[in-house]
Amino acid sequence: MSRKVLVAYASKMGATAGIAEVISDELRERGHEVDVLDVTQVRTVEPYDAVVLGSAIYLRRWRPEARQFLKRCADELRTRQVWLFHSGPVGPDKDQDQEMPPAVRRLAREIGATPAVTFAGRLEPATAKGFLARHLATGNMSGDSRDWTKIRAWAADISAAISTTQRTWDTTPS
Protein backbone atom coordinates (compact mmCIF):
# COMPACT_ATOMS: atom_id res chain seq x y z
CA MET A 1 0.00 0.00 0.00
CA SER A 2 1.42 3.36 -1.04
CA ARG A 3 1.86 6.00 1.64
CA LYS A 4 2.95 9.63 1.74
CA VAL A 5 6.37 9.87 3.39
CA LEU A 6 8.49 12.80 4.53
CA VAL A 7 12.25 12.31 4.50
CA ALA A 8 13.69 15.27 6.40
CA TYR A 9 17.34 15.90 7.13
CA ALA A 10 19.74 18.22 8.92
CA SER A 11 23.11 18.26 7.18
CA LYS A 12 26.23 20.33 7.69
CA MET A 13 28.44 19.25 4.80
CA GLY A 14 25.92 17.54 2.53
CA ALA A 15 26.54 13.86 3.34
CA THR A 16 23.35 13.44 5.36
CA ALA A 17 21.36 15.19 2.62
CA GLY A 18 22.78 12.67 0.14
CA ILE A 19 21.67 9.79 2.34
CA ALA A 20 18.18 11.30 2.59
CA GLU A 21 17.99 11.51 -1.21
CA VAL A 22 18.91 7.83 -1.61
CA ILE A 23 16.34 6.82 1.04
CA SER A 24 13.67 8.84 -0.75
CA ASP A 25 14.62 7.31 -4.12
CA GLU A 26 14.31 3.81 -2.65
CA LEU A 27 10.91 4.59 -1.13
CA ARG A 28 9.68 6.07 -4.44
CA GLU A 29 10.85 2.98 -6.32
CA ARG A 30 8.66 0.95 -3.96
CA GLY A 31 5.58 3.03 -4.78
CA HIS A 32 5.46 5.64 -2.03
CA GLU A 33 4.90 9.34 -2.55
CA VAL A 34 7.92 11.03 -0.97
CA ASP A 35 8.99 14.57 -0.17
CA VAL A 36 12.62 15.09 0.80
CA LEU A 37 13.29 18.38 2.58
CA ASP A 38 15.84 20.13 4.70
CA VAL A 39 14.30 19.99 8.18
CA THR A 40 14.26 23.81 8.35
CA GLN A 41 11.77 23.83 5.43
CA VAL A 42 9.22 21.58 7.20
CA ARG A 43 6.37 23.48 8.85
CA THR A 44 4.09 20.51 9.61
CA VAL A 45 4.05 16.75 9.19
CA GLU A 46 0.25 16.64 8.94
CA PRO A 47 0.12 15.49 5.28
CA TYR A 48 2.42 12.52 5.90
CA ASP A 49 1.74 8.96 6.99
CA ALA A 50 5.36 8.36 7.96
CA VAL A 51 8.47 10.41 8.68
CA VAL A 52 12.15 9.57 8.28
CA LEU A 53 14.44 12.06 10.01
CA GLY A 54 18.19 12.12 9.63
CA SER A 55 20.81 14.29 11.25
CA ALA A 56 24.52 14.64 10.95
CA ILE A 57 26.13 13.66 14.25
CA TYR A 58 29.28 15.44 15.40
CA LEU A 59 30.95 14.84 18.73
CA ARG A 60 27.86 12.83 19.78
CA ARG A 61 25.54 15.73 19.01
CA TRP A 62 22.72 16.02 16.50
CA ARG A 63 22.29 19.20 14.49
CA PRO A 64 20.25 21.71 16.52
CA GLU A 65 17.65 22.11 13.79
CA ALA A 66 16.91 18.35 13.89
CA ARG A 67 16.40 18.45 17.66
CA GLN A 68 14.18 21.51 17.30
CA PHE A 69 12.10 19.71 14.67
CA LEU A 70 11.51 16.75 17.01
CA LYS A 71 10.41 19.11 19.80
CA ARG A 72 8.27 21.34 17.60
CA CYS A 73 6.46 18.47 15.83
CA ALA A 74 6.31 16.01 18.75
CA ASP A 75 2.50 15.94 18.99
CA GLU A 76 2.07 15.27 15.26
CA LEU A 77 4.91 12.72 15.21
CA ARG A 78 3.28 10.65 17.96
CA THR A 79 0.53 9.66 15.52
CA ARG A 80 2.89 8.59 12.73
CA GLN A 81 5.51 5.98 12.07
CA VAL A 82 8.90 7.62 12.62
CA TRP A 83 12.36 6.35 11.76
CA LEU A 84 15.58 8.11 12.74
CA PHE A 85 19.10 7.94 11.40
CA HIS A 86 22.30 9.81 11.95
CA SER A 87 25.43 9.95 9.86
CA GLY A 88 28.94 11.07 10.45
CA PRO A 89 31.44 8.41 11.51
CA VAL A 90 34.46 8.23 9.22
CA GLY A 91 37.87 6.60 9.37
CA PRO A 92 38.51 3.56 11.56
CA ASP A 93 35.27 4.10 13.55
CA LYS A 94 33.03 4.42 10.49
CA ASP A 95 31.20 1.15 11.13
CA GLN A 96 30.59 1.66 14.85
CA ASP A 97 27.07 2.49 15.96
CA GLN A 98 26.73 5.87 17.62
CA GLU A 99 24.42 6.27 20.59
CA MET A 100 21.62 8.75 20.28
CA PRO A 101 22.35 11.91 22.22
CA PRO A 102 20.34 11.96 25.49
CA ALA A 103 17.94 14.71 24.38
CA VAL A 104 17.24 12.92 21.09
CA ARG A 105 16.81 9.57 22.87
CA ARG A 106 14.25 11.13 25.23
CA LEU A 107 12.33 12.76 22.36
CA ALA A 108 12.41 9.52 20.33
CA ARG A 109 10.88 7.64 23.27
CA GLU A 110 8.20 10.32 23.71
CA ILE A 111 7.08 10.11 20.09
CA GLY A 112 7.51 6.35 19.72
CA ALA A 113 10.26 6.51 17.10
CA THR A 114 12.64 3.68 16.43
CA PRO A 115 16.18 4.14 17.80
CA ALA A 116 18.45 5.93 15.35
CA VAL A 117 20.44 3.87 12.87
CA THR A 118 24.03 4.96 12.31
CA PHE A 119 25.37 5.41 8.79
CA ALA A 120 28.98 6.21 8.02
CA GLY A 121 29.59 9.69 6.68
CA ARG A 122 31.72 11.60 4.25
CA LEU A 123 34.61 13.93 4.99
CA GLU A 124 36.27 15.57 2.01
CA PRO A 125 38.39 18.71 1.72
CA ALA A 126 35.97 20.32 -0.76
CA THR A 127 33.00 20.18 1.64
CA ALA A 128 34.66 20.25 5.08
CA LYS A 129 33.49 23.17 7.22
CA GLY A 130 35.28 24.34 10.33
CA PHE A 131 38.92 24.12 11.38
CA LEU A 132 38.81 20.56 12.77
CA ALA A 133 36.86 19.11 9.83
CA ARG A 134 39.18 20.77 7.30
CA HIS A 135 42.20 19.41 9.15
CA LEU A 136 40.80 15.86 9.39
CA ALA A 137 39.76 15.95 5.72
CA THR A 138 43.41 16.07 4.69
CA GLY A 139 44.40 12.90 6.57
CA ASN A 140 43.38 9.26 6.80
CA MET A 141 39.83 10.22 7.87
CA SER A 142 39.19 11.70 4.45
CA GLY A 143 36.81 10.04 2.02
CA ASP A 144 33.26 8.92 1.44
CA SER A 145 32.48 6.06 3.82
CA ARG A 146 28.72 5.88 3.17
CA ASP A 147 27.51 2.31 2.60
CA TRP A 148 24.83 2.70 -0.06
CA THR A 149 23.85 -0.98 0.11
CA LYS A 150 23.15 -0.71 3.86
CA ILE A 151 21.24 2.55 3.35
CA ARG A 152 19.07 1.13 0.56
CA ALA A 153 18.35 -2.04 2.57
CA TRP A 154 17.24 0.07 5.55
CA ALA A 155 14.96 2.12 3.28
CA ALA A 156 13.49 -1.10 1.85
CA ASP A 157 12.72 -2.29 5.39
CA ILE A 158 10.99 1.03 6.08
CA SER A 159 8.94 0.66 2.91
CA ALA A 160 7.77 -2.80 3.95
CA ALA A 161 6.77 -1.55 7.41
CA ILE A 162 4.93 1.46 5.98
CA SER A 163 3.10 -0.69 3.46
CA THR A 164 1.67 -3.00 6.11
CA THR A 165 0.46 -0.31 8.52
CA GLN A 166 -2.39 2.17 8.27
CA ARG A 167 -2.64 5.44 10.13
CA THR A 168 -5.07 5.07 13.00
CA TRP A 169 -7.35 7.77 11.64
CA ASP A 170 -7.50 5.98 8.24
CA THR A 171 -9.43 3.13 9.88
CA THR A 172 -11.88 5.19 11.92
CA PRO A 173 -15.49 4.55 10.76
CA SER A 174 -17.31 7.61 9.48
Side-chain angles (χ1 to χ4, degrees), residues 13-96:
M13 296 183 254
T16 306
I19 292 170
E21 288 289 346
V22 168
I23 291 168
S24 66
D25 290 346
E26 191 69 29
L27 293 171
R28 279 188 200 103
E29 285 178 22
R30 295 177 182 306
H32 301 288
E33 183 182 342
V34 182
D35 291 333
V36 59
L37 296 169
D38 183 298
V39 74
T40 60
Q41 296 176 326
V42 180
R43 298 294 165 242
T44 181
V45 297
E46 179 58 37
Y48 303 101
D49 301 299
V51 176
V52 178
L53 173 64
S55 176
I57 188 168
Y58 296 101
L59 302 171
R60 299 186 179 114
R61 292 190 177 123
W62 269 36
R63 301 283 306 153
E65 59 270 28
R67 291 190 316 268
Q68 291 164 0
F69 170 81
L70 285 173
K71 287 179 193 173
R72 183 173 47 82
C73 295
D75 289 339
E76 291 177 307
L77 291 169
R78 281 186 191 98
T79 60
R80 285 158 182 75
Q81 292 175 288
V82 179
W83 286 268
L84 305 174
F85 74 91
H86 45 228
S87 71
V90 294
D93 296 334
K94 68 180 175 58
D95 295 321
Q96 291 185 0

Side-chain angles (χ1 to χ4, degrees), residues 109-128:
R109 272 195 311 262
E110 287 177 12
I111 64 173
T114 63
V117 171
T118 303
F119 295 122
R122 179 188 73 199
L123 183 60
E124 296 174 329
T127 56

